[in-house]
Amino acid sequence: MSQRPWHPNFIKYIEFIVNNPNYKGLFFTRAANGQVNWVVTGKSENGQKRRDWWNKKCLELGIKIGAGCYAVVAREIHPTKMHVCQICGKVLSINYGYPNRRFISKFYKSFKVRILPYTLTIFDIVDTFIKTSEDIKNFLKIFEIDFIKIKNKNGLKLYLEKEIVERCNKAYLSPGVMSNSPDRFDGFHSDGNCCRAASDKGRHKSNLSRYNQDRRVYEFWSDGDWKKADRLMAQFSNFGVSADHIGPISLGFSHRPKFQPMTRGANSAKNNRMGLSDIQTLLRDEKNGDQVISWHSRYIWDLLKAKVKTNADALKLSKIMKKNLHWVLTLFAIIDQNDGREFLCQFLNPQYSYFDHRFEGFNPKDGTYKRVISIPKVGKNQDNNVERRYRIAFESLEQYKKKSNRRHKEWENVGIDKRIAKLLPLVKNKKSYAKALKLLKEILISFSHMLEDLS
């Protein structure tokens, strides 16, 4: 733990937690002054002791061990569901009950009231500002819900509790504290979100902004029927369910219309990590003819997918594929900066803009549907969408390259650099596109062989 002082309320909180029977057997020590050593490094010997405890707790609660499982357990076993901030001592809920910036903006547009972050829960907002049935209707529209009828505040709060908060609606809400198992004893960050923007600038506002930028570059440069996938994701959202890419687009997988339903909290905790079951599903879908992987990441996927036998193997592959995609996008940015934008346009799949899709018989419990009706769309709106797709794809690629604080370094390989030097003149001339594509694929294969050594 850093040397900054702990708020007295936080000290009381940790004493309450370590002595609570819900955490019986979870490893901790005390410093010479008697204060609890709240944090351990996850990869250390003591961190492993804690990890073993969390694994046993998963089994005890019937929660499958895999990406995001500790976050689910941490919320399940917390005795009060209220966390105290180490810095300011403020008490905030661990649940997704606080309006985020998107909610705050939409609430102001509808009600002309400004809400400060982490001051009111959505239940407080209902009690304070919702007066009429029309208010209830407008409030639900913030969550893009217009298919249910609720008559009074109590009915609204009950619906919010069951369908919005318990489902961890990350699109519009935030928790009072983020998950951090097994490093922190209780499985949550020491700082509440009330203070985290100031205490952890490298991971808060700038990183959240970067996450949104990065997600755009992942999505726009992935393969797959993105229009159909977006429409299916909207179906999940309508039922308050988070749509999880079984193969994350942030690892180079296709943005295809197949997702597994998760709570938003579990999906957030899973992040871009795959488990063994994810790999097995991807292999099964691939065997059935689905394109699960984008063309640029197929080489590393084909090289390593058969080697995955355990959850640990799947996690290792996730890290390798993340690094591979970083190299791919960095290379694309270099090509773009060297007058190769027109060459790159062939990978953006604008054709999907000319269709819309409706899903019939959608089941939010498993993400399946009976059939999809695809409707051709041709017109100025579709042309504008294609233009927008090209524009944002390259804007996001430029922003991606500008970011310097990334964990993954570039390839640092003289042979690859020489191939890139040969590639760049080729991408400027349409007549040499075939040669350029062949050389580009050779470079991507070289990436995969370099990364194979990490498996």
Side-chain angles (χ1 to χ4, degrees), residues 251-262:
L251 303 186
F253 288 93
S254 297
H255 184 42
R256 61 190 180 117
K258 181 173 182 178
F259 308 95
Q260 58 186 355
M262 298 181 73

Side-chain angles (χ1 to χ4, degrees), residues 11 49 69 126 137 143 158 173 284 315 319 327 330 364 411 420 455:
I11 295 175
K49 292 178 182 178
C69 63
V126 169
K137 181 179 178 181
F143 295 96
L158 181 62
L173 302 176
R284 185 166 56 251
L315 180 58
K319 293 177 180 178
W327 287 359
T330 300
W411 43 85
I420 293 174
S455 64

Side-chain angles (χ1 to χ4, degrees), residues 140-349:
L140 287 172
K141 283 184 178 179
I142 294 176
F143 295 96
E144 302 177 27
I145 297 169
D146 57 8
F147 54 87
I148 63 169
K149 303 295 182 182
I150 295 176
K151 297 181 180 180
N152 54 46
K153 284 187 180 183
N154 288 336
L156 177 59
K157 288 195 289 186
L158 181 62
Y159 178 83
L160 293 174
E161 177 70 31
K162 297 296 182 183
E163 302 299 329
I164 304 296
V165 174
E166 288 185 7
R167 293 180 182 272
C168 300
N169 190 318
K170 190 180 178 184
Y172 293 100
L173 302 176
S174 297
V177 61
M178 303 304 294
S179 301
N180 189 245
S181 302
D183 294 29
R184 268 69 174 180
F185 183 89
D186 63 351
F188 296 95
H189 274 284
S190 302
D191 307 339
N193 284 342
C194 49
C195 293
R196 198 163 177 234
S199 66
D200 198 2
K201 293 178 180 178
R203 289 179 56 95
H204 204 267
K205 288 184 179 179
S206 63
N207 268 27
L208 289 175
S209 175
R210 192 186 78 181
Y211 169 79
N212 291 329
Q213 292 172 350
D214 284 359
R215 195 191 186 286
R216 292 199 305 176
V217 76
Y218 301 145
E219 181 176 325
F220 278 80
W221 292 98
S222 67
D223 281 339
D225 189 335
W226 51 268
K227 187 66 170 290
K228 190 179 291 184
D230 287 349
R231 288 291 183 261
L232 183 56
M233 290 184 78
Q235 288 279 58
F236 280 80
S237 180
N238 288 340
F239 284 89
V241 181
S242 182
D244 172 56
H245 282 93
I246 300 170
I249 57 174
S250 57
L251 303 186
F253 288 93
S254 297
H255 184 42
R256 61 190 180 117
K258 181 173 182 178
F259 308 95
Q260 58 186 355
M262 298 181 73
T263 66
R264 295 189 183 277
N267 199 352
S268 177
K270 181 184 177 185
N271 199 355
N272 54 22
R273 295 166 292 189
M274 295 184 292
L276 178 60
S277 62
D278 296 320
I279 301 294
Q280 291 170 337
T281 299
L282 289 166
L283 291 174
R284 185 166 56 251
D285 289 351
E286 194 171 48
K287 186 176 181 180
N288 291 333
D290 287 2
Q291 183 188 349
V292 303
I293 190 75
S294 295
W295 73 273
H296 48 66
S297 297
R298 173 169 294 283
Y299 307 101
I300 187 67
W301 168 246
D302 285 345
L303 199 60
L304 298 178
K305 61 188 179 184
K307 297 182 179 181
V308 178
K309 306 298 181 184
T310 66
N311 279 319
D313 294 338
L315 180 58
K316 185 179 290 186
L317 178 58
S318 301
K319 293 177 180 178
I320 291 173
M321 294 191 68
K322 176 70 174 177
K323 190 165 189 174
N324 177 76
L325 184 59
H326 170 65
W327 287 359
V328 169
L329 295 174
T330 300
L331 176 57
F332 284 2
I334 292 171
I335 292 172
D336 180 39
Q337 291 167 355
N338 285 271
D339 300 323
R341 180 164 295 193
E342 191 170 349
F343 171 79
L344 291 173
C345 283
Q346 64 185 301
F347 308 125
L348 287 175
N349 301 311

Side-chain angles (χ1 to χ4, degrees), residues 210 399-408:
R210 192 186 78 181
Q399 290 296 323
Y400 186 88
K401 186 66 171 66
K402 288 178 181 178
K403 299 297 181 180
S404 59
N405 59 332
R406 296 190 182 277
R407 296 180 181 179
H408 302 295

Side-chain angles (χ1 to χ4, degrees), residues 425-444:
L426 298 176
V427 300
K428 300 177 182 180
N429 188 337
K430 282 187 178 181
K431 293 181 180 180
S432 59
Y433 277 5
K435 292 181 179 179
L437 182 58
K438 181 180 179 181
L439 186 52
L440 174 59
K441 289 180 178 179
E442 289 177 3
I443 294 169
L444 297 178

Side-chain angles (χ1 to χ4, degrees), residues 346-363:
Q346 64 185 301
F347 308 125
L348 287 175
N349 301 311
Q351 68 274 16
Y352 296 121
S353 182
Y354 295 98
F355 290 86
D356 206 349
H357 309 277
R358 187 172 75 249
F359 296 87
E360 293 188 346
F362 176 74
N363 185 347

